[in-house]
Amino acid sequence: MPRVLLTGANGFVAVAILQVLLEKGHEVVGTVRSESKTTFLRNKFSKFVEGGKLHFAIVQDIVPKGAFDDVLKTYTFDSVIHTSSPSTTDAKDIQKEMLDPAINGTISILESISTCAPTVKRVVITASIASIANISKGNWPGKVYTEQDWNPLTLEESLSNPLLGYVGSKLFAEKAAFDFVEKNKPHFSITTLCPPIILGPPEHEITSLKKITRSLEDIYDVFSGATEPRYSAWVWADVRDVARAHVAATDCPAAANQRYLISAGNYSPQYIADYIWKHYPERAIAKGIKKGNPGVLYPEEGVFAIDNSKSVKDLGMSYNDFDSMMKDTLKKFEELEAEGK
């Protein structure tokens, strides 16, 4: 079976990808920033570690030139899934702390694969809808985003505040990847995947429910009674769907040098509260869970939508529905609460 390099292997999305890869029989080498980051994964996937199907490599800093050279020389790979990317939203120096690491980190691994990994045929890169959506248009009723859309954000605009810096880091890193392929004509092709807000049951290490991925906070903060439903985006993806898309893209001929919008479609944060009050009424009362505006899901004028047909056609995607995601995610939260997290 193919051997895959998975960067940032301990992350929310990456652990979901790791599960799919191992279930499908792939051999995986996962990179993490320190040996301590492997402990949880070694325990969770112990049978695969013992069976020689899962290995780890330490890459402390993904940005410097040659950061991945050692691991790429140590093993022979068929494909690379690059999920690792510096992420911060409170940078003081946006260029140095957000844009440069994202762009240079992407270029660095592509250069290393070019020189050190002649057997790699496909590199799959975790991108973001941030590089597709034009945030200056806001809700943009009637707009349907596709892979043909590119965020028109300029470098100057991205330097104006950390939020736009984050958007710029995703946009310019993805563009840098395609520019690299166009300029260098490497022996491999790339595929970029652009999900919006990613929800779903977390399988990565969580030491405290007070320290979870921001997208999961949007659900747990309502479930715990801390906040009302808050807007994050009008479109979403289940982390398990995002994982399946990454694995499908590793060997899909049609996905060569293509980008994909990976999303189940529209959702409203209000539906989180509505679901909890419907399915967890006793908890909702006990914790004083805020109702928000029950049943009022979208602004009267409407919101933008997405077209995921390309991912369905090329990658064979079928997307989980919001109810099943909520059911599985809240069950996981209850398990973590029972563990004292």
Side-chain angles (χ1 to χ4, degrees):
M1 290 297 290
R3 183 185 290 143
V4 181
L5 175 65
L6 175 64
T7 72
N10 60 313
F12 173 42
V13 173
V15 173
I17 294 171
L18 182 55
Q19 283 189 312
V20 177
L21 287 169
L22 293 173
E23 287 168 2
K24 288 183 172 292
H26 293 68
E27 184 177 344
V28 183
V29 179
T31 72
V32 292
R33 294 179 187 273
S34 66
E35 183 62 36
S36 64
K37 299 293 186 182
T38 71
T39 304
F40 174 85
L41 297 175
R42 290 182 190 279
N43 290 332
K44 183 177 181 65
F45 299 106
S46 58
K47 74 173 184 178
F48 296 102
V49 174
E50 293 163 5
K53 285 289 190 176
L54 177 58
H55 318 271
F56 296 100
I58 309 303
V59 179
Q60 293 181 337
D61 186 350
I62 68 170
V63 176
K65 186 179 180 67
F68 291 94
D69 284 5
D70 284 349
V71 66
L72 288 167
K73 290 176 180 177
T74 302
Y75 300 89
T76 300
F77 295 101
D78 298 279
S79 59
V80 175
I81 298 178
H82 184 48
T83 74
S84 184
S85 178
S87 62
T88 178
T89 55
D90 59 357
K92 292 179 173 59
D93 187 329
I94 294 172
Q95 182 74 52
K96 188 175 293 185
E97 296 177 55
M98 302 181 81
L99 300 184
D100 289 348
I103 297 165
N104 295 340
T106 299
I107 294 172
S108 171
I109 192 168
L110 294 178
E111 288 179 338
S112 289
I113 296 167
S114 293
T115 57
C116 303
T119 58
V120 169
K121 302 177 185 67
R122 176 69 49 80
V123 180
V124 182
I125 300 172
T126 310
S128 169
I129 198 173
S131 64
I132 290 178
N134 184 344
I135 59 175
S136 70
K137 294 289 189 179
N139 293 341
W140 208 353
K143 170 64 177 176
V144 178
Y145 284 110
T146 74
E147 291 83 357
Q148 297 300 314
D149 290 298
W150 284 90
N151 187 335
L153 186 77
T154 66
L155 176 60
E156 183 179 11
E157 290 169 337
S158 73
L159 294 173
S160 63
N161 65 67
L163 175 60
L164 292 181
Y166 170 80
V167 173
S169 73
K170 296 299 185 183
L171 170 64
F172 302 133
E174 186 183 1
K175 284 188 171 182
F178 282 110
D179 288 345
F180 179 91
V181 171
E182 177 65 25
K183 178 182 177 181
N184 296 283
K185 304 292 190 297
H187 58 270
F188 56 84
S189 56
I190 68 170
T191 304
T192 62
L193 303 182
C194 302
I197 185 171
I198 301 174
L199 306 172
E203 295 297 338
H204 65 302
E205 183 176 18
I206 292 177
T207 57
S208 170
L209 282 164
K210 295 179 180 178
K211 299 177 182 178
I212 55 177
T213 306
R214 175 56 198 269
S215 62
L216 295 179
E217 282 183 353
D218 288 349
I219 297 178
Y220 188 70
D221 283 356
V222 179
F223 194 51
S224 64
T227 67
E228 289 194 3
R230 59 173 175 253
Y231 169 78
S232 290
W234 294 119
V235 288
W236 74 290
D238 188 313
V239 67
R240 296 164 294 187
D241 290 335
V242 175
R244 286 190 284 267
H246 278 79
V247 177
T250 60
D251 61 1
C252 171
N257 299 323
Q258 297 293 313
R259 67 199 301 241
Y260 292 90
L261 209 173
I262 304 298
S263 173
N266 288 103
Y267 93 106
S268 166
Q270 176 60 45
Y271 192 67
I272 295 171
D274 291 354
Y275 182 95
I276 293 169
W277 273 95
K278 179 179 179 181
H279 296 279
Y280 289 83
E282 293 180 2
R283 179 186 175 107
I285 293 169
K287 290 191 173 290
I289 290 174
K290 282 74 172 174
K291 289 187 175 182
N293 295 299
V296 182
L297 302 182
Y298 302 103
E300 189 174 337
E301 68 274 12
V303 298
F304 61 83
I306 59 95
D307 179 353
N308 61 16
S309 60
K310 183 179 177 182
S311 70
V312 173
K313 177 177 177 288
D314 289 359
L315 302 179
M317 292 299 298
S318 60
Y319 289 93
N320 290 337
D321 62 76
F322 202 79
D323 275 14
S324 63
M325 181 280 296
M326 284 292 294
K327 178 182 178 182
D328 296 341
T329 302
L330 297 184
K331 179 182 178 183
K332 185 67 177 182
F333 285 156
E334 287 184 308
E335 292 172 359
L336 290 167
E337 286 177 336
E339 294 170 10
K341 297 296 174 67

